[in-house]
Amino acid sequence: MIKCVSCDQTYDDNEIVYICEKCGSVLEVEIENNISKDIFDGRKLGLWKYKEFIPVDYSNVVSLDEGGTPFCRCDKLGKELGIDLYVKVEGSNPTGSFKDRGMSVGVTKAVELGVDTVGCASTGNTSASLAAYAARGGLRSIVLLPAGKVALGKLAQAMFYGSEVLSINGNFDQALESATRLANEKYIYLLNSINPFRLEGQKSIGFEIVDELGWKSPDRIILPIGNAGNISAIWKGITEFYNADYIDEKPIMTGIQAEGAAPIVEAFKNKSYSINPVENPETVATAIRIGNPVSHIKALRAIYDSDGYVDSVTDEEILDAQKLLARVEGIGVEPASASSIAGLKKLVDKGVVDKGERVVAVVTGHILKDPDVAIKASAKPIEIEPDFNQLKAILEKKVS
Ligand code: AN7
């Protein structure tokens, strides 16, 4: 059953509906389950390990074996911050971001509904993922991208997997408005995170985290917020496992926005559920260059219900954290993902994160998504002739 988060209006799972027809709020899929968690024993880690909690027909699944991503304990960085740190590396998904979890469920649902064309607006990763899963599911796909603001790796993916790519002279929020109109007029089945089935896939990040910790909740989960779908999804997953008695506690949900695109931070300061959209969002982290996050109500609910926190970080803090994670722990992420780590540092300094906390930082996309930023932030390669003496001279200079 699909349910409105604000007025409790319900819809059948097979109705194509994105916002509540009664009150205009966002929707979510309600899951009821009282199976024992023993059913998961011996199954491989990944989204479909938890198929009893995923409300689509598994016999028609469109999957690229998403999820089951690395869960890296980071002792060096953890020690520096005075916490027990784990990093959930979502860049290791099939197209290099967490969106694959949502897209596997979303495209499976699209096939189930019998639609022939799927589409989305995207800052990049959603389009890359949609393109791949639409190909896998045999559907036509249309993606709307903000012109000049999509990182190169993501653009290459969307084009190469065979989506019809439309470059809009505007920002993401404007592209999403157009995509939503196309969906309302039935040109496309919309697979942005306003589609509640997307979040049903992404909630598996929460499932995996507590499963990997031996059916225990961490003290805190921290992650970037853009359109605000993922924090809502992870909280939904955690809450479902809590309600099923698989875990005894829930984590403090902590979201991080980029300073130039931080309407949820402002709402949080006002203890409000409503946001003032940012007209011209700007940040080096193009993935979260979003001024009017559609799932803000769900995200703020996750934050308030978990005694959580939201803060913003500057572009400089993001780029520093991206480098830190790569150079101290060997984990390469795109700028948006590094905002988790930048935010964590900031909140440790502020005393919001306590010493000794067990924290899971979700890093959402792979470093190769945005090669331009990585190259710009690095020293240039040293050019030399294929001459061994020259080579030795350079190494001796470096080493001494
Ligand atoms: C790497 O691809 O919105 O808060 O269109 O690509 O769930 O939106 C991407 C978002 C974080 C924010 N990290 O997640 C898109 C898009 C990365 C991302 C986010 C995105 P949400």
Side-chain angles (χ1 to χ4, degrees), residues 96-99 120-128 144-146 154 172 192-193 198-199 202 223-233 256-257 264 286-290 293 295 299 334-339 362-366 369:
S97 85
F98 68 97
K99 306 282 182 183
C120 69
S122 179
T123 58
N125 280 324
T126 301
S127 69
L144 278 62
L145 307 179
K154 307 173 189 183
F172 167 80
N192 282 98
S193 56
R198 271 275 312 279
L199 301 193
Q202 287 168 215
L223 72 153
I225 298 184
N227 216 14
N230 210 30
I231 189 168
S232 313
I256 305 296
Q257 297 201 285
I264 294 182
T286 51
I288 52 172
R289 188 175 170 271
I290 295 174
S295 295
E334 66 166 286
S337 313
S339 58
V362 180
V363 292
T364 43
H366 200 279
K369 291 283 190 173

Side-chain angles (χ1 to χ4, degrees), residues 92-167:
S92 293
N93 273 297
T95 76
S97 85
F98 68 97
K99 306 282 182 183
D100 294 340
R101 298 175 186 265
M103 226 35 102
S104 177
V105 177
V107 172
T108 299
K109 187 70 197 175
V111 170
E112 205 174 293
L113 290 166
V115 304
D116 53 20
T117 307
V118 290
C120 69
S122 179
T123 58
N125 280 324
T126 301
S127 69
S129 186
L130 178 68
Y133 282 82
R136 184 91 165 156
L139 302 176
R140 179 183 177 201
S141 65
I142 317 281
V143 305
L144 278 62
L145 307 179
K149 293 292 179 183
V150 173
L152 208 58
K154 307 173 189 183
L155 183 61
Q157 287 177 297
M159 291 163 66
F160 195 73
Y161 286 122
S163 266
E164 291 161 55
V165 178
L166 305 173
S167 190

Side-chain angles (χ1 to χ4, degrees), residues 25 32 114 119 121 235 252 306 361 367 371:
S25 190
E32 268 178 56
W235 180 244
I252 301 166
S306 69
I367 186 174

